[in-house]
Amino acid sequence: MAKKNLVIVESPAKAKTIEGYLGADFVVRSSFGHVRDLPKEDKAIDIKNGYQPVYEISPDKVKVINELRQMVKASDEVWLATDDDREGEAISWHLKEALNLPDATKRIVFREITKNAILNAIKNPRTIDQDLVNAQQARRVLDRLVGFELSPVLWGKIDKGLSAGRVQSVAVRVVVEREREISAHESKSSFKIVANFLLDGGKTLTAELPKNFENEAQAREFLERCKGAKFSIKNLEIKPAKKTPAPPFTTSTLQQEASRKLSFSVAQTMSVAQRLYESGKISYMRTDSTNLSEDAIEKAKTSIIGEYGEKYSFVRRFKTKNDSAQEAHEAIRPTDFGAQRISGERNEQRLYELIWKRAIASQMADAQLERTTATIGISTVPQELIAQGEVIKFDGFLKVYLESSDEEDEENKGMLPPLNIGQILNLDLMKATERFSRPAPRYTEASLVKKLEELGIGRPSTYAPTISTIIKREYVVKEDRPGRERKFKELTLKNDQLSEKTGTENFGAEKAKLFPTNTGMVVNDFLVKNFPTVVDFSFTANVELEFDEIAEGRIKWQDMIDNFYKPFHKTIETTMGQERSSSARELGVDPKSGKNVYVRKGKFGFFAQIGEAATETEKPLYATLKKDQLIDNITLQEALDLFKLPREVGFFEDKPILIGIGRLGPYAKHDDKFVSLNPEDDPLTIDEARAIQLIQEKRVNDAGEAIGSFEDELITTGKGKFGPYVKHLGKYYSLPKGLYLKDVTSEKAIEVILAKRHAEANKYLKEFPENPQVKVLNGVYGPYIAVGKRNIKIPKDRDPQTLTLEDCLTLAGDAPEKTPAGKGKKK
């Protein structure tokens, strides 16, 4: 018997959870995300007819829509239960249109997937909110117009294959400007004074001068004057203090904290959070709100009192700072505060525990502290040393959770030993250590999200895709980079004797930071010069506010698009008429040849050039830039150094070793074989010994390790150009996804070999000896017929195993002339 109620959600995981809460009269099905979109060609938007978008059912959703249409016919009532935000509202509207549902179709929303939430939603349905749909539609149309009109300008003026986007280009600009800020920073040194005192009972006291000395001479003079000085406690100040918990997570703060505490990328955080939401463990993960519902506050309070006691509970109601918050419903929180841990995949457990701790801590009492400041007088100088410490008198929310910080210098102050005013201190030693000023830090994915949020650019649903896009398009790279060594001076006063030494320290090392590429900088500079509005921070933030106004029904989306598009299109036309943009930068003159030296963009990347354009008699010299070199700040000497490559660094096995830079990066060449240098290897300084080490390591990896035998032949493993593999009888078998070299046993290797053989054997479903050109094969998109160089998809109503040669030739004759190889023609 057909069920009467059809509930449609976006994801199969969500459908499975919800179906378990509803009775036998309900069936829940998934649309697998968006079902309609703008077609890829440039006729997707009718500009002359009020920017009317032309939607089509996505090719991969035709089957889904057909199945849903059949289920709609068999149902008495349809309920649209997509996510409770603009994106979800738009999916519901597209489903309504694609399935020909009436305008009065019931729309239900919920912020968590629990039985109570689902049943309450069923009791309180509404219809589709067209204002929310229009806000999402305006974003989609505007982004399409910007992308489709701006990208061809980049192709014509800079290079093919480039693209621009309304939000992504602003994100790139933020990263580029930070990089230039770092490049422009001139590090200044100063000297920090730190003193260590010996106390009774083997205890020590550390104090420092609040202000650094500007130079070595001042620091030296201060230490000299401290010879023979008496040190005493001049003042003790004890003050109560408190720490207050952070509010529950928004999308942005969850991404930031998961990055700091769990080392998750922004995309990974959202992916894991999505699974937690769909399995009913947490509330909706795309939100700008720090608010908790009264029901959630009460449940948190009950959990805190039961676990920690009454004194640890303190009810807080947080107000969202962002007045224009799109998803101002509720913060991210656990659906069951009583469940501190969950079962499931490890990363799901880790992220859930982070969300639980943050939400619980937000409803707990302040931590009560006692901060002590000791002022230490010096008999021979007017300056005073300061020692600070703190002790926790009541841990409060710290029993559960403490928010991390992006600040690299953050220190936890320990407890000071017992001290008294007038107490004479015994100086062990006093140091003046050279310290250097640092530029603003490069962005991580999470700190870039924070910056975009501060600028009012983007919304919870756009942060992760924006960052993924700029990395995928190689405008920005996310990577570790090694630091550099520098020397510093240290003066030490001990037993009234002054000594000095020079030490070395590593600085500038970066981990998982965002760096702009040369392409990103060139595109950014072009847009800033020619399309300042598109990459203007305030303008982009104001566009977001206009989307909010559309969502609230205050302005028409077509008017908002029109106000942007007309001046934007005029700038497009003006720019198209200008000369092609040049990325070349003149660095100076090569002292050897007297010719100009440039850095510029070429067909295969960025390079340095000595000399002008090629003539019949003379050609310029070229050298590829290293991966971390930017045309924006490379110096003349750094460019000239590149022409030292390729260079010979020595011999190995009576054959020379050459070091150079190619399209795939720095390499060592030996015996006509290439070995990639590691990121920490500088091609300009690497020596013979290190090059030989890399060559030998490559040989070991290529040779592989014998792990057993099969069919009386050895099985070896190794790592090659295309990743880890198993080798047997001279054939290489790539490891399947999820299987790592360290986990490959003889048994697993045999499984890989047999699976590959089986796949190859089944590729040819049928062959015809009387006509070898005709074959029936299994392809990525299903079985097809190969006739010479032509490939014809087999209709679904035909069994590939029963096809005769005549059947194949008949089908080939009926098929269109040109069909994509191995794919068949999609209808």
Side-chain angles (χ1 to χ4, degrees):
M1 179 180 171
K3 295 184 179 181
K4 297 178 182 178
N5 292 277
L6 172 64
V7 179
I8 306 176
V9 297
E10 305 99 320
S11 79
K14 188 173 168 183
K16 186 178 179 182
T17 308
I18 291 173
E19 195 164 48
Y21 296 139
L22 297 172
D25 288 339
F26 287 84
V27 61
V28 185
R29 288 294 178 266
S30 167
S31 69
F32 296 88
H34 280 277
V35 294
R36 296 199 312 170
D37 199 2
L38 299 171
K40 292 184 178 179
E41 59 269 14
D42 60 0
K43 294 181 180 178
I45 298 164
D46 188 349
I47 294 170
K48 294 179 180 178
N49 189 25
Y51 304 96
Q52 196 61 39
V54 179
Y55 294 108
E56 66 177 17
I57 295 173
S58 305
D60 61 332
K61 296 297 169 65
V62 172
K63 184 180 177 183
V64 173
I65 288 297
N66 288 337
E67 289 173 354
L68 288 174
R69 281 174 179 163
Q70 294 302 316
M71 297 193 76
V72 167
K73 288 178 184 177
S75 303
D76 295 332
E77 190 84 72
V78 176
W79 307 71
L80 299 174
T82 52
D83 288 342
D84 185 16
D85 58 12
R86 294 176 196 169
E87 204 74 21
E89 204 71 20
I91 293 174
S92 278
W93 178 73
H94 283 295
L95 282 167
K96 178 183 80 74
E97 296 292 306
L99 300 174
N100 298 314
L101 300 173
D103 291 342
T105 298
K106 291 179 177 178
R107 167 86 169 107
I108 56 171
V109 293
F110 36 85
R111 301 296 295 184
E112 60 181 60
I113 303 177
T114 59
K115 187 169 185 177
N116 281 342
I118 301 303
L119 295 180
N120 283 334
I122 293 287
K123 290 176 186 175
N124 299 284
R126 60 170 172 82
T127 55
I128 290 171
D129 186 332
Q130 197 60 42
D131 290 330
L132 290 179
V133 174
N134 288 339
Q136 190 276 342
Q137 191 163 236
R139 181 187 293 277
R140 187 74 185 92
V141 169
L142 185 61
D143 289 347
R144 170 57 70 91
L145 288 171
V146 170
F148 259 66
E149 297 216 0
L150 206 47
S151 295
V153 176
L154 296 178
W155 304 340
K157 301 303 174 185
I158 302 177
D159 201 359
K160 292 179 180 177
L162 299 175
S163 67
R166 187 182 55 81
V167 177
Q168 77 174 54
S169 297
V170 177
V172 172
R173 182 179 182 181
V174 171
V175 177
V176 167
E177 291 191 352
R178 175 56 58 87
E179 191 66 29
R180 286 185 170 143
E181 186 183 340
I182 292 168
S183 295
H185 176 77
E186 293 182 7
S187 186
K188 293 180 180 178
S189 70
S190 61
F191 283 77
K192 184 179 181 66
I193 304 293
V194 178
N196 287 330
F197 298 96
L198 298 177
L199 305 180
D200 294 339
K203 293 182 178 179
T204 61
L205 175 67
T206 300
E208 60 186 49
L209 212 60
K211 189 177 179 181
N212 290 5
F213 288 110
E214 291 181 1
N215 52 53
E216 181 186 346
Q218 291 176 353
R220 186 182 293 275
E221 181 189 358
F222 176 80
L223 293 182
E224 288 283 0
R225 293 181 66 185
C226 286
K227 288 181 177 179
K230 289 184 179 179
F231 299 86
S232 60
I233 301 294
K234 189 174 179 180
N235 188 41
L236 278 174
E237 188 176 25
I238 300 173
K239 285 185 177 180
K242 67 178 182 178
K243 282 185 186 287
T244 300
F249 284 128
T250 62
T251 301
S252 167
T253 54
L254 176 63
Q255 290 167 346
Q256 292 165 50
E257 194 72 340
S259 173
R260 299 183 197 115
K261 278 188 160 66
L262 308 178
S263 300
F264 282 8
S265 69
V266 168
Q268 183 183 11
T269 298
M270 295 312 292
S271 175
V272 176
Q274 178 93 26
R275 296 200 296 272
L276 290 174
Y277 167 66
E278 290 175 349
S279 60
K281 302 292 193 304
I282 64 169
S283 59
Y284 192 52
M285 67 286 158
R286 294 189 183 93
T287 176
D288 281 345
S289 177
T290 55
N291 179 49
L292 291 178
S293 68
E294 291 301 316
D295 183 52
I297 289 173
E298 194 58 39
K299 288 178 178 175
K301 180 180 177 181
T302 302
S303 181
I304 291 164
I305 293 172
E307 187 72 25
Y308 308 108
E310 184 84 42
K311 65 179 181 178
Y312 280 92
S313 174
F314 187 86
V315 172
R316 285 184 176 82
R317 291 173 178 83
F318 295 93
K319 180 171 169 53
T320 303
K321 293 179 182 178
N322 182 4
D323 292 331
S324 64
Q326 177 187 321
E327 282 82 28
H329 297 281
E330 201 175 351
I332 303 169
R333 59 166 176 80
T335 55
D336 179 7
F337 280 97
Q340 186 172 349
R341 292 179 180 82
I342 59 166
S343 59
E345 189 260 330
R346 181 170 175 267
N347 281 342
E348 291 176 15
Q349 294 176 347
R350 294 170 72 205
L351 191 65
Y352 175 84
E353 190 173 335
L354 189 66
I355 292 167
W356 184 89
K357 285 181 175 179
R358 175 83 164 222
I360 276 284
S362 76
Q363 298 302 308
M364 292 178 73
D366 292 338
Q368 302 299 326
L369 314 173
E370 187 177 83
R371 287 188 179 140
T372 303
T373 301
T375 304
I376 300 169
I378 309 170
S379 63
T380 57
V381 294
Q383 291 94 335
E384 296 172 334
L385 297 167
I386 300 294
Q388 290 183 316
E390 68 180 28
V391 60
I392 297 172
K393 307 295 281 185
F394 170 64
D395 54 3
F397 77 94
L398 293 178
K399 198 171 193 71
V400 173
Y401 176 83
L402 177 62
E403 184 180 25
S404 297
S405 169
D406 288 321
E407 297 301 318
E408 296 174 11
D409 289 333
E410 192 175 76
E411 295 179 10
N412 288 323
K413 295 182 176 68
M415 185 178 174
L416 293 183
L419 300 169
N420 298 303
I421 293 176
Q423 182 178 343
I424 302 299
L425 300 175
N426 178 23
L427 178 68
D428 178 29
L429 58 84
M430 184 184 288
K431 285 184 177 182
T433 307
E434 188 175 16
R435 288 288 174 252
F436 299 88
S437 62
R438 291 187 298 195
R442 288 183 174 90
Y443 290 107
T444 61
E445 284 190 10
S447 63
L448 180 57
V449 167
K450 184 179 180 182
K451 181 65 176 178
L452 293 175
E453 186 180 43
E454 288 171 357
L455 292 170
I457 294 165
R459 287 293 182 262
S461 60
T462 65
Y463 298 138
T466 296
I467 291 174
S468 297
T469 297
I470 64 177
I471 292 174
K472 183 180 178 183
R473 290 180 176 163
E474 297 185 351
Y475 290 160
V476 167
V477 292
K478 175 186 172 183
E479 61 188 21
D480 302 344
R481 289 193 182 172
R484 304 189 301 279
E485 272 196 356
R486 70 178 167 203
K487 294 180 178 179
F488 68 92
K489 282 192 172 181
E490 189 171 76
L491 309 175
T492 304
L493 177 66
K494 187 176 178 69
N495 298 326
D496 284 341
Q497 297 295 314
L498 190 60
S499 62
E500 65 177 85
K501 71 173 185 178
T502 300
T504 59
E505 65 181 1
N506 192 49
F507 77 101
E510 302 283 23
K511 185 171 177 61
K513 293 291 181 70
L514 300 177
F515 298 83
T517 62
N518 278 307
T519 301
M521 293 188 111
V522 168
V523 170
N524 174 73
D525 292 350
F526 177 82
L527 293 176
V528 170
K529 179 183 176 183
N530 297 284
F531 297 90
T533 303
V534 173
V535 288
D536 179 75
F537 300 145
S538 297
F539 175 81
T540 309
N542 286 333
V543 168
E544 294 292 345
L545 295 177
E546 287 183 308
F547 288 149
D548 295 336
E549 290 191 323
I550 294 168
E552 291 163 11
R554 289 204 287 259
I555 61 173
K556 291 184 177 180
W557 73 269
Q558 292 92 340
D559 293 343
M560 178 262 179
I561 299 289
D562 195 54
N563 290 336
F564 170 87
Y565 181 74
K566 284 180 177 176
F568 169 72
H569 185 68
K570 191 172 286 186
T571 309
I572 291 280
E573 291 175 332
T574 303
T575 308
M576 287 298 279
Q578 297 173 357
E579 291 184 10
R580 187 177 176 87
S581 176
S582 172
S583 61
R585 175 174 164 244
E586 187 176 334
L587 300 180
V589 177
D590 173 25
K592 288 184 180 179
S593 65
K595 295 177 181 178
N596 288 336
V597 181
Y598 305 91
V599 281
R600 55 168 25 111
K601 187 181 189 313
K603 188 176 181 181
F604 300 112
F606 291 83
F607 60 89
Q609 173 183 321
I610 298 178
E612 307 300 329
T615 65
E616 290 183 7
T617 57
E618 195 172 8
K619 290 184 178 180
L621 298 175
Y622 303 105
T624 304
L625 265 59
K626 292 193 290 183
K627 185 180 178 183
D628 59 350
Q629 288 179 323
L630 296 173
I631 62 171
D632 201 55
N633 57 20
I634 187 173
T635 64
L636 173 64
Q637 188 55 52
E638 287 170 340
L640 291 174
D641 286 344
L642 295 171
F643 291 93
K644 297 175 182 176
L645 302 173
R647 65 187 183 94
E648 191 175 290
V649 295
F651 283 78
F652 179 48
E653 298 172 345
D654 296 327
K655 292 178 181 175
I657 304 170
L658 290 177
I659 304 295
I661 300 177
R663 287 180 62 187
L664 301 177
Y667 63 82
K669 183 182 179 184
H670 174 258
D671 194 20
D672 286 331
K673 294 184 177 67
F674 293 85
V675 179
S676 294
L677 302 191
N678 291 340
E680 63 270 19
D681 295 316
D682 187 339
L684 295 171
T685 59
I686 188 172
D687 59 16
E688 179 188 72
R690 174 60 177 157
I692 291 172
Q693 182 186 354
L694 290 171
I695 292 166
Q696 291 175 326
E697 286 175 358
K698 177 78 160 54
R699 286 181 179 179
V700 170
N701 286 336
D702 287 351
E705 178 188 351
I707 58 169
S709 63
F710 178 50
E711 298 172 345
D712 297 327
E713 291 288 341
L714 277 178
I715 304 172
T716 59
T717 60
K719 196 170 184 181
K721 184 178 178 182
F722 303 105
Y725 62 78
V726 168
K727 186 179 178 183
H728 178 252
L729 287 172
K731 289 192 72 174
Y732 293 86
Y733 302 88
S734 295
L735 299 189
K737 191 175 180 182
L739 179 59
Y740 300 99
L741 212 51
K742 63 182 177 65
D743 301 323
V744 177
T745 59
S746 175
E747 291 76 16
K748 284 193 179 294
I750 293 169
E751 286 178 20
V752 170
I753 294 165
L754 292 176
K756 179 69 173 176
R757 286 181 181 177
H758 179 73
E760 287 179 349
N762 285 331
K763 182 181 178 184
Y764 292 92
L765 298 177
K766 205 161 194 179
E767 296 182 80
F768 303 96
E770 63 271 34
N771 191 339
Q773 281 197 316
V774 181
K775 298 180 179 68
V776 180
L777 302 96
N778 230 340
V780 177
Y781 297 96
Y784 65 95
I785 300 165
V787 181
K789 293 183 178 180
R790 292 182 62 214
N791 300 305
I792 302 94
K793 189 172 182 180
I794 298 171
K796 289 182 180 179
D797 59 348
R798 302 296 296 268
D799 183 356
Q801 298 284 7
T802 62
L803 291 177
T804 64
L805 176 60
E806 187 179 351
D807 291 334
C808 292
L809 293 173
T810 301
L811 288 169
D814 292 340
E817 279 302 310
K818 291 183 179 179
T819 310
K823 295 183 180 181
K825 193 83 171 177
K826 289 188 178 180
K827 294 183 181 178

